[in-house]
Amino acid sequence: MVRIRTDLATFAPYVPGKQPEDGNWIKLNTNEASECPPGALAALNALGPEGLFRYPDPTAMPLRRDLAGLYGLTPDRVVVGNGSDEILSLLLRAVCDPGAEVLAPDPAYSLYPVLAAAQGASYRAIACLDDFALDLESLCAARPAITFITSPNNPAGTSYPAGQIARICASGHNLVVVDEAYAEFAESNALGLLREFPNLAIARTFSKAYGLAGARVGYLLGPAELCQTLLAIKDAYNISAAAQAAAQAALRDRDWAEAMWESVRSRRSRLIAGLSSIPGLEPHPSQANFVLVDCGPHSAPWLLEQLAAQKILVRHLGHVRGAENALRITVGKDSEIERLLGELSAICHAC
């Protein structure tokens, strides 16, 4: 019998959103984009056979150069990963000795405690204040190996000002990682702090803002010495040639990307307004490509089931603090939002 680490005996894995097997669903549960860059599709079509039978660039250097140019950095301050999830895992491997503390607000991305447990680290969550505000005093007083701040917050959609991130960095933390998976949809970000704080890194992804969730490409912007360590411990050839080509093409498709981001913001406003008009529902302000809506007198699990019966998928995160009776809804296409609002209105009015 294979011996498994004893600390993994009660390991609770990350539970992803449902992925339906047929295409007849309205899928608003995993915060994917509803389209992808035309340039990325063209790049995949032009890849050629060598993109399959040759190994890809092992460090994705051409893509790292493009990202460095976009953000005014040098390539040695950029690491590309198999989705930003791999970046988060590499960071824990790089800075966490067994038993080291991983810190995050609560709520936050639910993968953090999973990755901490897999690394043999301890995980501590500091409860957010009202309206999902950061408890800055408690966060700044802690001394963890690594601190994750999801901004915009997942699942709340709350974006945290750069001044708050700066305060945490200045308080003496070893490493502060701002997880900006949804930052392109927000009004602010922490990019301007990278030159000021040597203990700050920013994780981003092509999944949401560039419509490449299926390609699995994420990246880190951070101190050169940290990035070189991540490159040393990452898996070999971790980003396929197809994914690298698609990501580079997506960066070149800047006009398309910016138009898509603006469209998401506009549709997000319509979604919030529509949810607010339904009796009992209270959507939270959002700076992401999703909206968290408190279901009030209605049961969120029951609404989830009623929508699923109409082949509409949304997400209930009942284990997440502050979202026990809430649904997280991706900002979909106009037609999808209209259908969702119509079904929700009918269900709630029938109660």
Side-chain angles (χ1 to χ4, degrees):
M1 184 174 180
V2 176
R3 185 182 66 82
I4 305 295
R5 276 170 41 190
T6 56
D7 62 317
L8 295 181
T10 58
F11 185 79
Y14 175 76
V15 180
K18 180 178 179 180
Q19 301 290 338
E21 295 184 359
D22 63 73
N24 297 320
W25 291 75
I26 292 178
K27 193 171 182 301
L28 305 175
N29 63 330
T30 49
N31 304 336
E32 296 141 316
S34 55
E35 54 187 323
C36 68
L41 286 176
L44 292 177
N45 289 331
L47 191 61
E50 286 201 3
L52 295 178
F53 67 74
R54 297 292 186 201
Y55 283 117
D57 186 298
T59 67
M61 180 55 83
L63 177 55
R64 288 167 59 206
R65 289 195 192 101
D66 289 349
L67 287 165
L70 176 63
Y71 295 113
L73 302 171
T74 52
D76 62 345
R77 298 191 63 182
V78 181
V79 178
V80 177
N82 187 246
S84 60
D85 289 351
E86 186 193 24
I87 294 293
L88 302 178
S89 180
L90 288 171
L91 286 165
L92 290 172
R93 287 163 58 186
V95 304
C96 289
D97 292 317
E101 184 176 81
V102 177
L103 183 73
D106 183 18
Y109 184 26
S110 57
L111 183 65
Y112 300 151
V114 176
L115 295 178
Q119 181 61 27
S122 66
Y123 184 80
R124 181 158 70 105
I126 293 180
C128 285
L129 305 176
D130 291 344
D131 297 323
F132 301 101
L134 295 177
D135 182 348
L136 287 173
E137 183 175 345
S138 297
L139 286 168
C140 290
R143 289 296 177 268
I146 185 170
T147 302
F148 288 116
I149 305 292
T150 317
S151 183
N153 181 287
N154 182 9
T158 306
S159 183
Y160 301 117
Q164 295 185 3
I165 304 300
R167 181 175 167 186
I168 297 170
C169 291
S171 68
H173 283 222
N174 177 55
L175 174 62
V176 178
V177 178
V178 185
D179 187 347
E180 292 193 340
Y182 304 96
E184 287 88 349
F185 307 109
E187 295 174 355
S188 63
N189 57 60
L191 289 171
L193 302 176
L194 281 172
R195 298 184 186 279
E196 183 177 354
F197 293 102
N199 61 339
L200 172 66
I202 295 174
R204 287 195 171 191
T205 177
F206 282 81
S207 295
K208 319 297 183 181
Y210 291 96
L212 295 181
R216 310 305 299 131
V217 186
Y219 58 96
L220 185 84
L221 311 173
E225 63 275 16
L226 174 64
C227 290
Q228 295 315 299
T229 299
L230 299 194
L231 289 171
I233 64 175
K234 74 171 185 65
D235 293 341
Y237 308 111
N238 59 328
I239 311 297
S240 72
Q244 292 185 41
Q248 284 189 272
L251 289 180
R252 292 192 294 268
D253 237 341
R254 190 71 180 184
D255 289 344
W256 176 90
E258 292 183 353
M260 191 268 274
W261 305 340
E262 183 56 38
S263 175
V264 168
R265 296 184 196 108
S266 176
R267 284 180 275 135
R268 181 179 67 200
S269 295
R270 290 200 294 276
L271 176 59
I272 290 174
L275 291 169
S276 298
S277 71
I278 299 174
L281 300 188
E282 296 183 14
H284 292 271
S286 176
Q287 290 283 296
N289 69 339
F290 58 83
V291 174
L292 184 71
V293 56
D294 191 282
C295 298
H298 311 290
S299 163
W302 183 77
L303 288 178
L304 182 81
E305 292 178 0
Q306 296 302 303
L307 289 172
Q310 302 303 317
K311 306 201 78 171
I312 299 174
L313 289 177
V314 296
R315 194 86 188 266
H316 175 232
L317 300 165
H319 64 287
V320 175
R321 186 179 184 278
E324 295 87 350
N325 193 46
L327 297 175
R328 192 191 68 191
I329 303 172
T330 304
V331 177
K333 301 175 183 177
D334 284 322
S335 59
E336 294 173 332
I337 292 172
E338 182 178 357
R339 171 83 187 285
L340 167 83
L341 293 173
E343 296 291 350
L344 267 178
S345 180
I347 294 167
C348 291
H349 278 97
C351 292

